Amino acid sequence: LARWAAPALGSVPKLLRSPDRSLADSLDRGKVTGRLRQEILQPFLTGVLAEADGSTSANFTRLLLRSFLLGTPGVPAHGMAALPAQLTAKLDTPVRLGVRVKEIRPGVSGPKVRTDNGVYSGAAVVVATDPESAGLLVPFATPEMKGLRTYWFSMRSAPTASNLLHVDGRGRSGGPVVNTAVVSNAAPSYAPAGRHLVQATCLLPLETKLSAASDEPAVREHLARIYGASTADWDLLIRHDIQAALPQQLPPITYRQPVDLGSNLFVAGDHRDTGSLQGALVSGRRAANAVSSALRANRK
């Protein structure tokens, strides 16, 4: 495993240039076998990659492992909404939320955006959404998507004091949960007052949209075995079905998709870089730089 993962800690450009193949084939060729692969690596990567067949690009997987090995995973204390809140805090122009965009078309002075609230125009327009939504508005090929379903339970007593991610060494044969954690042990602000919070994530097959194997009773039973604690008195707060959680990243992977679509129309999202939070942030920076360059060129 160390030999297989070593390129993740070396030169990133060299890694990106190296021959790519599927994760399963790469692990086989690297002789990564036995319990280490079956009981730890594969169950962990199933939740990270939102797939269980090893079809994802091996080089992309190494890039993700690089982030895990060199960084410390974390969550914003006030939830993911803290990120856009920070981005918009210093804007002079108010941000309009909850307005559905119907169409984007070229205009003489810049693209025009038709919405439920009327038509807006600007020097440039950036479409920063999931790829399926973006594909309805701008001309580009949308990738195949992978889905995840997450259950959020609250309880009086945490089943463990650990703040680590838990996986079942039996993989999906043990049950539908691909990973789980007592989130409140790492981020107490996420839980209701006086309670603890557990997340349990399952794969969501897009061909069926709903998975009988991921029904709540099966999830509760699987969690009880993972934690060695009864889940009967756990309260289900909400279930999130994210049918387009991550774009497929098949080999050979293309790491940089265009963000400038011409006519001062731009697109951002992890589908432009790598299917991850890191990829989404990088694509946002690339789109911002492209907009800045285009507007400077227009002023000349």
Side-chain angles (χ1 to χ4, degrees):
L1 177 60
R3 184 172 58 248
W4 178 86
L9 298 178
S11 164
V12 172
K14 182 179 179 180
L15 171 60
L16 301 185
R17 291 193 304 267
S18 63
D20 197 10
R21 51 180 52 92
S22 74
L23 173 61
D25 184 30
S26 178
L27 292 173
D28 287 343
R29 288 170 178 258
K31 302 188 186 304
V32 182
T33 59
R35 297 181 61 193
L36 184 62
R37 174 177 174 177
Q38 296 164 5
E39 299 181 15
I40 298 176
L41 187 63
Q42 284 185 176
F44 171 68
L45 290 177
T46 293
V48 172
L49 303 174
E51 57 92 338
D53 59 5
S55 59
T56 299
S57 155
N59 286 349
F60 166 65
T61 305
R62 286 188 176 101
L63 277 180
L64 290 184
L65 287 178
R66 178 185 179 86
S67 297
F68 285 114
L69 293 171
L70 298 182
T72 301
V75 293
H78 298 290
M80 293 305 293
L83 297 181
Q86 291 177 24
L87 290 172
T88 58
K90 296 183 178 181
L91 291 179
D92 296 327
T93 305
V95 178
R96 296 175 176 86
L97 302 175
V99 179
R100 187 169 68 95
V101 175
K102 296 180 176 179
E103 181 187 24
I104 300 175
R105 61 180 185 273
V108 176
S109 58
K112 295 188 179 298
V113 181
R114 186 167 63 89
T115 76
D116 286 341
N117 284 6
V119 177
Y120 299 88
S121 61
V125 169
V126 180
V127 179
T129 71
D130 66 273
E132 291 183 343
S133 298
L136 299 175
L137 298 171
V138 294
F140 74 89
T142 58
E144 293 293 324
M145 301 296 293
K146 301 176 289 186
L148 292 171
R149 164 179 290 170
T150 299
Y151 293 81
W152 298 89
F153 296 95
S154 89
M155 67 288 302
R156 289 190 177 277
S157 299
T160 176
S162 170
N163 62 358
L164 301 178
L165 193 73
H166 290 62
V167 299
D168 190 335
R170 294 165 295 181
R172 297 190 72 199
S173 62
V177 176
V178 295
N179 63 54
T180 178
V182 183
V183 179
S184 51
N185 286 346
S189 60
Y190 277 41
R195 308 276 290 184
H196 290 274
L197 183 70
V198 167
Q199 66 82 15
T201 296
C202 313
L203 298 186
L204 181 63
L206 289 185
E207 64 271 16
T208 60
K209 304 299 182 186
L210 298 175
S211 170
S214 298
D215 284 345
E216 184 184 340
V219 169
R220 285 180 179 271
E221 193 274 334
H222 195 190
L223 289 172
R225 285 186 279 115
I226 290 175
Y227 288 112
S230 173
T231 62
D233 61 346
W234 291 13
D235 295 327
L236 177 63
L237 300 178
I238 194 169
R239 187 192 78 195
H240 290 142
D241 285 359
I242 312 298
Q243 296 173 355
L246 287 171
Q248 281 189 348
Q249 307 272 265
L250 302 178
I253 188 173
T254 301
Y255 296 95
R256 293 287 185 267
Q257 300 285 352
V259 295
D260 186 344
L261 302 182
S263 301
N264 281 9
L265 183 60
F266 304 84
V267 63
D270 65 354
H271 51 94
R272 300 289 87 192
D273 282 78
T274 57
S276 60
L277 289 174
Q278 297 94 313
L281 292 168
V282 169
S283 80
R285 185 177 68 232
R286 290 177 57 221
N289 290 339
V291 169
S292 181
S293 297
L295 296 184
R296 285 199 304 269
N298 291 342
R299 288 195 294 266
K300 292 180 179 179

